[in-house]
Amino acid sequence: DTQMTQSPSSLSASVGDRVTITCRASQSITTYLNWYQQKPGKAPSLLIYAASKLQTGVPSRFSGSGSGTEFTLTISSLLPEDFATYYCQQSYSTPFTFGPGTTVEIK
Amino acid sequence: QLQLQESGPGLVKPSETLSLTCNVSGGSISNTAYHWAWVRQSPGKEPEWIGTIFFSGKAYYNPSLKSRVGLSVDTSKNQFSLVLSSVTAADTAVYYCARRVSPFPYQFDYWGLGTLVTVSS
């Protein structure tokens, strides 16, 4: 199985801050990497697919980069609605696996 | 607008079989550009992929659950289903159905609201 790790596991930030979350895969997944946002009591919502492509309707303050085994999700200027948990997910090989999540909290 | 809605019992006894159905509206389950999946999430944990099925009925599963899980599809009703046998408390989770885009990069782009299934006597 391809193991996914994320860092940090949580972070505190203020509105307007730039936030970067890192995701690492235990083996190369080229760009088969997706990012999801999840708010409490809600289903995950797709933000970024293929490592860097913005899902339709997702604000441009979200961006993704990386390939191989290391990826980043960046929020350029945090808004109140961005406080949530973010998961990376590899779709390169089965079983498709998710990272443990990064919770972005209000400072 | 595509919508997915899970349905099924919220409480299942240990050793029994969990059965859920996902109704798809606003799009056809027979569209070859998409596959259909189940994902579950235990409290405080990351989501876990259970399995994926094509409209043809071909399915593939997470090896960790493969001996206990089965997926099926009913194109006439535009829905697909999950059965998980011999459940234990470890199967307590919110179960989501989702659409997976095909081909690359196979992202889950639409999700149902989720349904909580508790395994308890």
Side-chain angles (χ1 to χ4, degrees), chain A residues 31-32 34 36 38 42-44 46 49-50 87 89 91 95-96 98-99, chain B residues 41 45-47 49 60 62-63 96 100 104-109 111-112:
Chain A
T31 56
Y32 283 71
N34 310 303
Y36 300 85
Q38 186 176 34
K42 302 293 187 182
L46 180 66
Y49 64 97
Y87 295 98
Q89 177 246 332
S91 49
F96 307 119
F98 290 80
Chain B
Q41 188 171 28
K45 303 286 287 182
E46 68 267 27
W49 172 71
Y60 52 106
N62 191 323
Y96 297 100
R100 196 181 82 140
F104 167 87
Y106 303 112
Q107 68 274 31
F108 298 113
D109 67 340
W111 296 64

Side-chain angles (χ1 to χ4, degrees), chain A residues 42-44, chain B residues 3-6 22 96-99 110-114:
Chain A
K42 302 293 187 182
Chain B
Q3 291 188 329
L4 296 89
Q5 178 67 61
E6 306 88 352
C22 181
Y96 297 100
C97 56
R99 186 179 82 170
Y110 279 91
W111 296 64
L113 297 178

